[in-house]
Amino acid sequence: MAADRRQKAEAEVLEALSVVVDPDLHQDIVSLGFVQNLAIEGDQVAFDLQLTTPACPVRDHLREQCEQAVLSLDWAHGVKVTLTSQVRGGRGGGTDALSQVAHLVAVASAKGGVGKSTTTVQLAYALAATGAKVGILDADIQGPSVHHMTSAEGPVPSGEGMMDPAEHHGVKIVSMGFFVPALRPALLRGPRLTAIIQQFLTEFRWGELDYLLVDFPPGTGDIQMALAQMTSLTGAVLVTTPQEVALLDVRRAVSMFKMLKVPVLGVVENMSGFVCPDCGSQHALFGEGGGAALAEAAGVPLLGSVPIDPTVRQAMDEGQPLLLGPHRDSPMAQAYGAAAAALASAISVQQANQGPALKSFDFTWKEMGA
Amino acid sequence: MSEQERELGVVRIWQEDAVHLGVVWTDGKQSSFDTRLLRQLCPCAVCEADRQAGRFVVGDDVVPLRVQSVGNYAMKIVFSDGHDTGIFEYAWLHERG
Ligand SMILES: [Zn+2]
């Protein structure tokens, strides 16, 4: 009898919660499997709400909706919602160094000088600030800069082949900049470059990561194509700045990733405006809404527009993750934080759409009777 | 957030028997490929050139040694005759499977 009553109460709670819809996935949280560990004691209801990313921008909103839904039941007088997250993806099986990395995301641009590495670093720390496990692979072998921007200490060779990435404020980092500057990476070419990136991917203990951001070398040539084929990318973020040719550049990058079947998750527009150091107000440099128009013209979502603030920029160039330092409330830091949240949502949507596809496979053929 | 289009992918891939490669695609379609035929149809530049020059000769006893995914869009098959430059795109395979 008591078990019957509990079952009935659980069913009522789930039915009440099924009106709560995840705005990104367009599906209710019950059928998405987000409601877990439901426990009912008398008139008290408790459960975990397991989101697809700790960076979920609407998590507080979802929690409130859940509380209201449960309290709408006439017998329920208390509710406790615990927010948890499980970044879905997982490269499954495999024993390779990336087997526990849920999502590899390319951060790319058609050309240099648009703040691609800066964007990679700030997105990474913004994602990490939400509780996600994050890594950065600086694949810009010829012009590595991530090591400067994070003031991380280089990784220490562990002797037996596999190495540990550097770690800085909880973010794992591998960059050519850590290794032998005497190698003059600018002089390396083609196959040698891809071989080094391959090593970065396979010979480091990346461990369990929700997001591994790959800072692509600028451009849309052979190296970028080779890199995109080396591993299975969840998607790509394109970085641009407001310029006459930006749309052309973004289109070029979009078509490269399209050809390689790598979904473009969105565009981050840097230097979208200028934060006046005197009055703190923002001035658009190239007209309002340029980033949104550009993203729409290129047929990809706009993840964020980041203004430029000379003082903050300097701190960033000196290796400060903005969200962890004194500039955490600056418009720049806030813009990168919002872009990171939008990126996390785009990845969750991508994951839901991708369905059960294998991320990678590799097997040997066996002799068998025909 | 705009919807991303669903790309063609592999849900399951396995060796069916001595020569056949089974694939279940993300659109639900199931294919069975004769790998000897895949070797004959190898789309790589070397084989294309050989075919054009009329000197494409591959024994029909050639079998795969290894099957690997390439990025998100293709698979590479290493064959027992040492040939490993053929990248078989999912779209190409799906059309023929
Ligand atoms: Zn060939």
Side-chain angles (χ1 to χ4, degrees):
Chain A
M1 192 64 194
D4 274 4
R5 206 176 304 144
R6 181 168 330 132
Q7 267 182 7
K8 184 164 173 288
E10 282 180 5
E12 284 176 6
V13 169
L14 290 176
E15 198 191 327
L17 287 172
S18 68
V19 303
V20 181
V21 170
D22 182 299
D24 289 330
L25 303 176
H26 307 296
Q27 211 178 327
D28 75 85
I29 58 167
V30 177
S31 51
L32 283 166
F34 288 181
V35 178
Q36 298 190 344
N37 302 325
L38 176 59
I40 302 171
E41 293 287 342
D43 60 358
Q44 300 294 312
V45 177
F47 61 90
D48 294 342
L49 185 62
Q50 193 185 65
L51 304 172
T52 51
T53 167
C56 179
V58 292
R59 54 201 229 162
D60 294 323
H61 176 64
L62 280 177
R63 185 217 300 263
E64 270 170 38
Q65 284 192 299
C66 286
E67 289 167 353
Q68 282 173 14
V70 171
L71 294 176
S72 73
L73 296 167
D74 53 12
W75 55 265
H77 294 113
V79 56
K80 184 173 186 308
V81 182
T82 307
L83 290 177
T84 65
S85 62
Q86 168 76 52
V87 177
R88 291 166 199 207
R91 310 173 67 77
T95 49
D96 61 289
L98 296 173
S99 62
Q100 296 178 77
V101 176
H103 295 288
L104 266 132
V105 177
V107 182
S109 65
K111 63 175 171 215
V114 296
K116 176 181 51 61
S117 299
T118 304
T119 304
T120 309
V121 169
Q122 296 304 328
L123 287 177
Y125 284 108
L127 287 167
T130 68
K133 298 190 194 71
V134 184
I136 302 173
L137 191 160
D138 183 356
D140 191 351
I141 305 293
Q142 290 171 307
S145 52
V146 168
H147 62 298
H148 287 309
M149 275 179 228
T150 57
S151 59
E153 297 282 332
V156 189
S158 53
E160 42 176 81
M162 292 289 271
M163 291 174 76
D164 288 312
E167 213 166 321
H168 183 241
H169 292 291
V171 172
K172 292 183 177 171
I173 302 166
V174 172
S175 168
M176 191 65 186
F178 292 134
F179 306 98
V180 280
L183 206 67
R184 295 231 266 162
L187 301 178
L188 294 170
R189 287 287 176 266
R192 188 76 189 95
L193 282 179
T194 42
I196 292 172
I197 298 169
Q198 186 80 48
Q199 275 178 294
F200 284 179
L201 286 168
T202 57
E203 293 179 12
F204 282 83
R205 278 189 219 97
W206 287 103
E208 197 181 308
L209 291 180
D210 297 318
Y211 307 104
L212 176 53
L213 304 189
V214 184
D215 186 10
F216 262 45
T220 50
D222 291 346
I223 295 288
Q224 291 77 14
M225 304 261 286
L227 189 48
Q229 293 176 67
M230 247 181 241
T231 180
S232 173
L233 295 164
T234 295
V237 173
L238 304 180
V239 182
T240 186
T241 53
Q243 297 159 7
E244 295 263 337
V245 293
L247 178 58
L248 270 174
D249 287 340
V250 169
R251 279 203 172 130
R252 194 144 44 95
V254 167
S255 66
M256 177 183 80
F257 283 113
K258 262 220 164 104
M259 197 167 76
L260 298 166
K261 308 293 179 201
V262 173
V264 174
L265 298 164
V267 177
V268 174
E269 182 197 37
N270 280 325
M271 307 176 210
S272 71
F274 180 76
V275 180
C276 174
D278 301 321
C279 68
S281 65
Q282 265 188 59
H283 307 289
L285 291 179
F286 301 87
E288 296 285 344
L294 175 137
E296 197 184 338
V300 293
L302 179 69
L303 297 175
S305 290
V306 184
I308 190 158
D309 178 335
T311 45
V312 178
R313 166 99 190 241
Q314 196 190 341
M316 200 162 63
D317 290 344
E318 285 164 3
Q320 268 187 32
L322 294 184
L323 284 169
L324 299 176
H327 298 292
R328 69 172 64 89
D329 295 321
S330 66
M332 279 187 89
Q334 295 300 312
Y336 280 122
L343 171 61
S345 306
I347 290 171
S348 298
V349 170
Q350 178 59 33
Q351 185 61 40
N353 283 354
Q354 231 165 26
L358 291 175
K359 291 214 165 176
S360 63
F361 51 84
D362 184 354
F363 59 94
T364 51
W365 200 262
K366 294 180 185 61
E367 280 188 44
M368 280 187 194
Chain B
M1 202 64 54
S2 84
E3 298 279 329
Q4 297 285 344
E5 60 187 280
R6 189 187 283 249
E7 297 287 5
L8 180 64
V10 171
V11 175
R12 203 159 83 79
I13 179 164
W14 73 103
Q15 180 181 352
E16 292 181 324
D17 57 33
V19 295
H20 287 89
L21 176 68
V23 178
V24 175
W25 303 98
T26 40
D27 65 353
K29 179 174 177 177
Q30 183 165 341
S31 305
S32 174
F33 298 101
D34 185 331
T35 53
R36 294 167 300 187
L37 186 61
L38 290 182
R39 178 65 190 88
Q40 296 291 339
L41 295 175
C42 178
C44 86
V46 178
C47 293
E48 279 299 336
D50 282 354
R51 264 184 225 111
Q52 299 233 330
R55 53 182 150 85
F56 180 80
V57 187
V58 174
D60 57 8
D61 56 344
V62 175
V63 291
L65 295 177
R66 190 171 175 185
V67 181
Q68 287 172 287
S69 53
V70 176
N72 290 347
Y73 75 105
M75 65 181 80
K76 170 175 147 171
I77 305 179
V78 180
F79 287 98
S80 59
D81 60 351
H83 193 70
D84 67 353
T85 45
I87 303 288
F88 296 88
E89 294 190 17
Y90 294 158
W92 187 91
L93 287 165
H94 185 265
E95 207 173 280
R96 285 163 181 77

